[in-house]
Amino acid sequence: MVRYRNRLQIIAEILEIVRVGARKTHIMYQANLSYKLLCKYLDEVLECGLVRRDRNERYVVAAKGEKFLQRFNSYLKRREQVQDELKAVDEEKALLEHKYMNARGKAGHANSGRGLTRRR
């Protein structure tokens, strides 16, 4: 199954590539982007101040870009923790449904046929 990257993932990947400096072609191949998309993203990260160009016309990550990468990596870790927690909650729900709700049919429900009535 092909997983598509979102905008923030692509930007973070570009920033990782240019940490040591890179030319357009290197970024394009490393980030697996078309030239058109590469130009779009490079314009965006330059305009936002995440990337700058050095004396040799290579793209390098700016201080603001380093801060973005730190926050993005922190976000990824938190996101993974939340996904793991949600998975555990879903497993607990499935266990409850399987163990307790399926037991109702096996044991024969005491109120079968009567429905649930509320006591006053």
Side-chain angles (χ1 to χ4, degrees):
M1 183 172 135
V2 176
R3 287 205 60 160
Y4 293 98
R5 299 171 291 177
N6 67 36
R7 181 174 159 270
L8 289 178
Q9 290 170 321
I10 292 171
I11 290 170
E13 192 169 351
I14 289 171
L15 295 178
E16 287 288 348
I17 293 165
V18 302
R19 266 191 159 153
V20 294
R23 296 200 185 277
K24 269 188 180 180
T25 307
H26 180 77
I27 301 166
M28 184 174 73
Y29 288 120
Q30 289 291 311
N32 195 26
L33 293 171
S34 69
Y35 184 76
K36 185 178 178 180
L37 275 176
L38 172 69
C39 290
K40 174 189 170 230
Y41 280 105
L42 281 178
D43 286 346
E44 185 176 353
V45 295
L46 282 166
E47 188 177 313
C48 292
L50 301 175
V51 168
R52 61 179 176 77
R53 295 187 72 177
D54 67 9
R55 286 180 292 244
N56 299 323
E57 295 300 308
R58 292 166 58 94
Y59 294 91
V60 292
V61 69
K64 189 175 178 182
E66 286 289 351
K67 188 170 185 168
F68 172 90
L69 281 173
Q70 290 172 354
R71 292 194 69 181
F72 182 75
N73 289 328
S74 174
Y75 154 78
L76 286 179
K77 287 178 189 173
R78 285 195 341 246
R79 182 175 176 237
E80 187 176 332
Q81 291 170 344
V82 168
Q83 285 176 330
D84 289 346
E85 188 66 29
L86 283 172
K87 183 180 176 186
V89 167
D90 287 342
E91 289 170 355
E92 182 69 22
K93 177 185 173 192
L95 176 68
L96 287 168
E97 287 175 341
H98 177 72
K99 189 169 186 172
Y100 295 102
M101 301 310 287
N102 287 343
R104 185 176 93 178
K106 292 178 186 174
H109 197 291
N111 288 335
S112 63
R114 288 190 273 163
L116 294 176
T117 58
R118 190 171 181 179
R119 292 186 184 178
R120 296 180 190 229

